[in-house]
Amino acid sequence: MRIAVLDDYQGIAHGLADWDSITGAEVTFFHEAIAPEEMPERLAPFDVVQMMRERTPIPASVLRQLPNLKLLSGTGRRQPHVDGEEAGRLGIPVTGTDGAGDSTPELVWGLIIGVTRHIGWEDQRMREGKWQTRLGVGLAGRTLGVLGMGRIGTKIAVSAQQTFGMNVIAWGPTLTAERAAASGATYVSWDELFSQADILTIHVPLTDLSRGWITEREFGLMQPSAFLINTSRGPIVREEALLAALRERRIAGAALDVYDVEPLPADHPLLGLDNVLMTPHLGYATLDSLAAFYRNSVDNIKAWAAGEPMNVLNADALTELRR
């Protein structure tokens, strides 16, 4: 059995799970992203492709060119970067795992404090011999807008009030005033969310509905002193609208962990702006989370190899297993 472990950027996957426990497996770790046009050739020899969240898209056009592929082993409970229906038609199960801890909510607060207090900026200025070049703002008494009150959005709403003394407003496609109030938040309209928030944080999944949701219009509603935080998915925000809002100082700044293209190209215009704080999709990338992902993935691969696949996410589309 030949297994490809994709996007092991830091070269840590081998030590985080017992890959040797998979009988008869030959495991290859890819430490660099594979270009889309190279995927059919690079992945052609492998029976199993081990994925890390949504780092490498695997569309139907690629799946059809991988005749040896028999299992797509994913991490996390959603695999929107994979054409699960096409994989099912080809007899390829797509599996998922649970993670560990609350790594994304923790990062959200790091980004909020980092961008409002200019931590990254001031760190660099100190290395240049400068001292206190920008004035930050505190969080107590300010309004946090939460777009999406699922598991992560709810955690953020509660900690905003209990830890930081913030007022919380919220909107979501299925959110009700009652559900918002249960977490201490005030349900508002779409427009009110953008116009009233001092800090707006996004916590909805990327779907056909949410793709391109935040446009130039929404940035026009925001206060010039407001900040945008995105740890969900880059394409929820229209990139050109975000760039224009930041360049023209129509908002105070943004803190981003996700992008339209990942890894972010070295010549991307976001890298040239001084009012954006960026991290390389670290929301789930903690030692605890990645170890849980890989260990659970090894269990999924072993179950599939034994003829009893578990944690299959595309079961409804799956035809007879490809062998």
Side-chain angles (χ1 to χ4, degrees), residues 4 35 60 74 76 88 95 103 110 114 132-133 142 144 156 159 163 190 207 221 232 281 286 290 301 306 308:
T95 58
S103 54
Q132 291 192 7
T133 65
R142 285 187 161 78
L144 179 72
I156 297 299
S159 57
T163 303
W190 174 268
T207 63
L221 294 172
S232 184
H281 206 150
T286 65
L290 266 61
I301 294 170
E308 300 179 355

Side-chain angles (χ1 to χ4, degrees), residues 36 39-40 43 51 56-67 69 72 79-90 92 94 322:
M39 289 182 65
L43 298 182
M51 307 173 290
T56 295
I58 305 182
S61 59
V62 171
L63 290 172
R64 297 187 194 111
Q65 298 180 72
L66 300 176
L69 181 63
L72 281 168
Q79 310 296 328
H81 61 304
V82 174
D83 191 325
E85 290 194 4
E86 181 64 17
R89 283 191 288 270
L90 295 171
I92 304 168
V94 180
R322 179 188 284 184

Side-chain angles (χ1 to χ4, degrees), residues 51-55 75-76 78-79 81 233 284 293:
M51 307 173 290
M52 176 49 68
R53 294 302 298 261
E54 296 162 40
R55 290 176 175 175
T75 54
R78 298 181 69 254
Q79 310 296 328
H81 61 304
R233 293 294 178 266
Y284 63 87
F293 282 157

